[in-house]
Amino acid sequence: MQQRKLGTEGLVVSALGLGCMGMSEFYGSRDDAESIATIHRALELGITLLDTADVYGPFTNEQLVGRAIRGRRDRVVLATKFGNMRGPDGGWLGINGRAEYVHQACDASLKRLGVDHIDLYYQHRVDRTVPIEDTVGAMAALVTAGKVRHLGLSEAAPATLRRAHAVHPISALQTEYSLWSRDPEDEILPTCRELGIGFVAYSPLGRGFLTGQIRCFEDLAADDWRRNNPRFQGQNFQRNLDLVTRVEAIAREKGCTPSQLALAWLLAQGEDVVPIPGTKRRRYLEENARAVEIVLTAGDLQRIGEVAPKGATAGSRYPEGGMRSVNA
């Protein structure tokens, strides 16, 4: 597995990470035993970056990851997040970036994960009611205390990123980026590169759509969060399926799966881009990991860009409420 640098503070991670969110919530039923086996297999394959958050579960995903890495901590670059607040019943309580909450959330995550430090600590969503300088100042205090090694932001706008980076070096920005979510290319990626900030691409497979495994709305379980996502609804579904069909044709020519092609495309966007495809099954993990072996020529990249150009995807990334909290 190749390695990539995130930021200028010495953070080195595998070129592909593993998103752990779906192991506990949002994408149908859970299987903790298979999820833990998947994490163990990821480490065997050289995947070091594991991505979780306090809000996933809620709270249970960190516990799951903590169990999985027990006895393996030295092989893991552990990333988690704070800021999205939910109650024990899963109810949404809002976004919190206040300094005192930053410290409380970090201590709670450390306890659930069963570790003494977090390698990469993200603000999950920007709290528009709190100056970013206050939030990042509190996060920087966690670095001084030895509880956190590196700082990150998620779904932060370029101006916010600049202000945050002036307080303490930001090692990574995590934002949705894939063949069907290319908006970071406009301002966010250029800002990251100007400031020397790494880019972590979440949902690099379009929440599973780019795998080619989802052919109709009914393929989604009744409790699957994606049923509420505009890109999976109504006419948007068919338009987006047509896009996937075009990607599949190129994948067949390259002798790989659509997932592998989509990940290889992201890896080719720059040495500072690290996709974190999520899965809870070893077979999909192994398929994704082989994406690092695929070499895309300039001609390949041009063709892929033509069949999946910026703005081609139908529907917004989140329902209206979720869109209000991104690019903040």
Side-chain angles (χ1 to χ4, degrees), residues 108-120:
S109 287
L110 289 169
K111 184 175 181 180
R112 282 189 291 267
L113 290 161
V115 299
D116 63 3
H117 73 275
I118 295 162
D119 296 302
L120 177 57

Side-chain angles (χ1 to χ4, degrees), residues 6-273:
L6 290 177
T8 59
E9 298 292 288
L11 180 59
V12 178
V13 302
S14 50
L16 282 177
L18 175 61
C20 299
M21 179 187 79
M23 295 176 177
S24 299
E25 195 180 12
F26 300 113
Y27 296 160
S29 60
R30 51 187 290 182
D31 180 342
D32 286 359
E34 177 62 16
S35 292
I36 288 173
T38 299
I39 292 173
H40 290 171
R41 181 62 179 142
L43 298 179
E44 290 172 1
L45 293 171
I47 294 172
T48 59
L49 178 60
L50 301 182
D51 184 273
T52 181
D54 54 4
V55 75
Y56 302 156
F59 318 122
T60 55
N61 193 243
E62 286 185 325
Q63 295 168 348
L64 174 74
V65 172
R67 292 201 306 274
I69 66 173
R70 201 161 295 143
R72 297 171 169 84
R73 179 67 181 95
D74 60 340
R75 297 161 61 186
V76 173
V77 177
L78 184 59
T80 192
K81 315 179 197 74
F82 75 92
N84 282 333
M85 295 181 64
R86 292 172 72 187
D89 62 351
W92 173 249
L93 301 178
I95 298 171
N96 193 338
R98 295 193 298 274
E100 62 274 17
Y101 179 73
V102 174
H103 289 275
Q104 294 167 8
C106 181
D107 288 342
S109 287
L110 289 169
K111 184 175 181 180
R112 282 189 291 267
L113 290 161
V115 299
D116 63 3
H117 73 275
I118 295 162
D119 296 302
L120 177 57
Y121 199 41
Y122 292 100
Q123 183 183 20
H124 206 162
R125 290 291 186 273
V126 173
D127 185 344
R128 297 176 189 268
T129 69
V130 176
I132 192 66
E133 291 83 358
D134 293 356
T135 303
V136 175
M139 295 169 71
L142 297 173
V143 176
T144 302
K147 296 179 180 181
V148 170
R149 297 280 170 84
H150 302 276
L151 302 186
L153 299 178
S154 180
E155 292 287 358
T160 304
L161 195 56
R162 291 181 188 280
R163 290 167 55 197
H165 193 65
V167 175
H168 185 282
I170 301 299
S171 292
L173 175 70
Q174 183 175 146
T175 291
E176 184 171 354
Y177 186 30
S178 71
L179 276 174
W180 81 341
S181 291
R182 296 185 56 180
D183 41 307
E185 296 171 357
D186 294 333
E187 295 182 68
I188 294 173
L189 263 174
T191 302
C192 286
R193 286 169 175 159
E194 177 191 334
L195 299 175
I197 297 171
F199 189 96
V200 175
Y202 78 80
S203 294
L205 298 177
R207 303 193 182 278
F209 216 137
L210 291 169
T211 66
Q213 306 261 343
I214 303 170
R215 310 308 295 188
C216 65
F217 186 77
E218 288 69 32
D219 285 340
L220 303 173
D223 60 347
D224 193 309
W225 172 86
R226 289 172 290 189
R227 283 177 169 252
N228 300 312
N229 185 296
R231 293 185 171 180
F232 288 80
Q233 295 176 333
Q235 293 182 341
N236 290 345
F237 189 102
Q238 186 56 52
R239 286 180 57 189
N240 293 331
L241 188 60
D242 292 342
L243 184 155
V244 172
T245 300
R246 297 194 295 271
V247 172
E248 286 177 315
I250 299 177
R252 281 194 298 273
E253 292 177 22
K254 294 293 294 183
C256 65
T257 67
S259 301
Q260 291 167 338
L261 187 77
L263 292 172
W265 177 85
L266 265 175
L267 290 167
Q269 299 312 302
E271 290 291 322
D272 53 351
V273 175

